[in-house]
Amino acid sequence: MGMGFKSYFNNLRLQLGPRAWHNFCYDAGASVLFSFFNVVFNQFYVPMAIQEGASNIQVGLLSASPAIGLLFSPIWAGWIERSNPKPFMVIPNLIGRALIVLPAFFGVPVVYVAVALLFQLMMGIQSPAYASLIVRMYPPQH
């Protein structure tokens, strides 16, 4: 089984070429880190806010924050397509990750809700930027 994966990745490396393979390695690593972060954020953020005394409406807003954040993605997508997607990828990720420390300093439910909504709005910017960036990072056939 191990040799199957190794030959698959060697074949993929040859198909992509050195630049796209380099991008793939960074993209795969970033995806794993992004997934771990989102699991922690999405799975534990609501219970932490409940523990701090969040009301039903606040818990509802926390649970709906991913959908609320993605509402504005189509607006950003048009702008991103006409420009360089890298800043739209990097800056919202940095801001979103930095926001997460605020509940540690201000442990009140309204801060949890505000951070969750702002974080998801940042991810709503980053999502179309990622799609635009992927098209530019890999050869068209892939």
Side-chain angles (χ1 to χ4, degrees), residues 23-36 89 97 130:
N23 290 339
F24 171 77
C25 290
Y26 276 102
D27 191 34
S31 295
V32 169
L33 290 174
F34 188 79
S35 297
F36 282 138
M89 183 76 188
R97 300 308 185 255
Y130 181 73

Side-chain angles (χ1 to χ4, degrees), residues 44-131:
F44 299 113
Y45 215 63
V46 173
M48 288 169 27
I50 291 171
Q51 189 174 18
E52 293 294 332
S55 68
N56 289 341
I57 190 76
Q58 289 170 329
V59 171
L61 285 170
L62 283 169
S63 299
S65 64
I68 293 169
L70 288 176
L71 280 175
F72 300 101
S73 285
I75 296 168
W76 289 101
W79 190 11
I80 292 167
E81 286 297 321
R82 292 188 301 270
S83 62
N84 181 7
K86 283 182 186 177
F88 294 97
M89 183 76 188
V90 174
I91 294 169
N93 269 306
L94 289 174
I95 293 170
R97 300 308 185 255
L99 287 171
I100 298 304
V101 300
L102 289 177
F105 295 115
F106 310 101
V108 293
V110 71
V111 172
Y112 282 90
V113 173
V115 167
L117 289 171
L118 287 172
F119 173 78
Q120 295 300 345
L121 285 171
M122 293 294 108
M123 295 306 100
I125 298 168
Q126 177 264 328
S127 294
Y130 181 73

